[in-house]
Amino acid sequence: LMRAVRRGQADKIRATHSEMLHKIDLLNAERASKDKLLAELRAYAPKHTDDAAANLVLAQTVMRQYQMGGAVKLDEAAKVKLRTEIIAAFEAALKKTEDKQARFDLAGLYHDAKQDDKAVSHLAALEKQMSYDKDSSNRFVYQQLSMEYKKLGRDDLAKKADDAVSELTILFNKEQAERQAQEKAAKQTPPPKAGTATGTFNPGAKK
């Protein structure tokens, strides 16, 4: 009986070990695939600065490496190299398209590079873009703008962003109240009774 129990345990351990090796193989294959894609992007995007999508994907991919710099122990020279690559890709992409997160990421990168004037210019560009549309959902973007301006020591610009948050919050509350009033009115309106004329032709109805 004990031999059977030990044999069962050994089989279970072998199966678990085999499953773990399979998962490791899958992870390695996935990593190799990602590394190949990144290598292809690095070869393609800098030569095709008019391809906004490729440059945006390249910047976002390398940005993850940059943000994990502390975990993988990147030295300062490696960080500067990555940062320069990301900035170039983001700048190329933003000449052809607009992307809120790219603006925020660039502001952070320029702040890391001690180029706060360029950081402010990207935040201001984002703020200008949003000024054309009074969308209440943008209040969250203005909240982030306020925080970023404060990091850059621009409390004057942070206050403007805070004012926009207040304005859009009032707009949001108004929209909510109107929506709730419409829903309440719709619930209180009784449905038409069966056989009630609704203004459409009914050949069976009595004149």
Side-chain angles (χ1 to χ4, degrees):
L1 178 61
M2 291 301 296
R3 287 179 183 175
V5 171
R6 292 195 194 97
R7 193 180 301 115
Q9 290 175 337
D11 290 343
K12 186 176 181 181
I13 290 171
R14 278 194 292 271
T16 302
H17 183 249
S18 177
E19 185 180 350
M20 288 176 64
L21 288 176
H22 179 62
K23 287 181 178 178
I24 290 171
D25 287 341
L26 289 175
L27 287 172
N28 287 334
E30 183 181 357
R31 189 177 297 114
S33 177
K34 288 181 178 179
D35 289 344
K36 182 182 177 183
L37 174 60
L38 179 56
E40 290 174 353
L41 276 171
R42 279 176 158 155
Y44 172 86
K47 298 176 183 176
H48 299 81
T49 54
D50 58 333
D51 190 335
N55 278 279
L56 201 56
V57 172
L58 174 61
Q60 292 167 342
T61 304
V62 182
M63 186 72 180
R64 285 191 284 272
Q65 292 184 2
Y66 180 79
Q67 290 171 332
M68 292 176 63
V72 296
K73 307 297 182 185
L74 288 177
D75 59 30
E76 189 58 31
K79 285 182 181 179
V80 170
K81 185 178 179 181
L82 285 180
R83 185 167 63 230
T84 302
E85 180 182 13
I86 301 165
I87 287 174
F90 269 142
E91 290 283 15
L94 288 173
K95 288 178 181 177
K96 298 293 182 180
T97 190
E98 186 56 48
D99 187 275
K100 290 185 177 71
Q101 190 56 50
R103 295 285 184 190
F104 281 121
D105 287 340
L106 265 175
L109 290 164
Y110 278 125
H111 179 54
D112 291 347
K114 296 180 172 54
Q115 298 180 52
D116 286 356
D117 55 334
K118 291 184 178 180
V120 169
S121 70
H122 277 286
L123 297 178
L126 174 55
E127 197 168 1
K128 182 179 179 180
Q129 188 72 23
M130 292 192 300
S131 69
Y132 299 125
D133 181 20
K134 292 295 182 182
D135 185 344
S136 62
S137 65
N138 281 338
R139 65 193 187 281
F140 301 114
V141 185
Y142 279 107
Q143 285 175 343
Q144 190 173 352
L145 274 169
S146 175
M147 289 188 290
E148 295 301 323
Y149 278 135
K150 287 174 183 175
K151 288 179 187 176
L152 298 168
R154 293 301 304 269
D155 290 346
D156 55 329
L157 297 176
K159 185 180 183 307
K160 284 180 62 180
D162 288 335
D163 290 342
V165 172
S166 299
E167 181 183 345
L168 292 178
T169 299
I170 292 171
L171 176 60
F172 171 75
N173 291 335
K174 181 182 177 182
E175 291 170 345
Q176 281 286 88
E178 290 174 352
R179 192 177 299 114
Q180 290 170 359
Q182 290 171 357
E183 291 173 356
K184 185 177 180 181
K187 288 178 182 178
Q188 291 177 345
T189 303
K193 295 180 180 179
T196 301
T198 58
T200 57
F201 176 67
N202 185 349
K206 294 180 180 180
K207 295 182 179 179

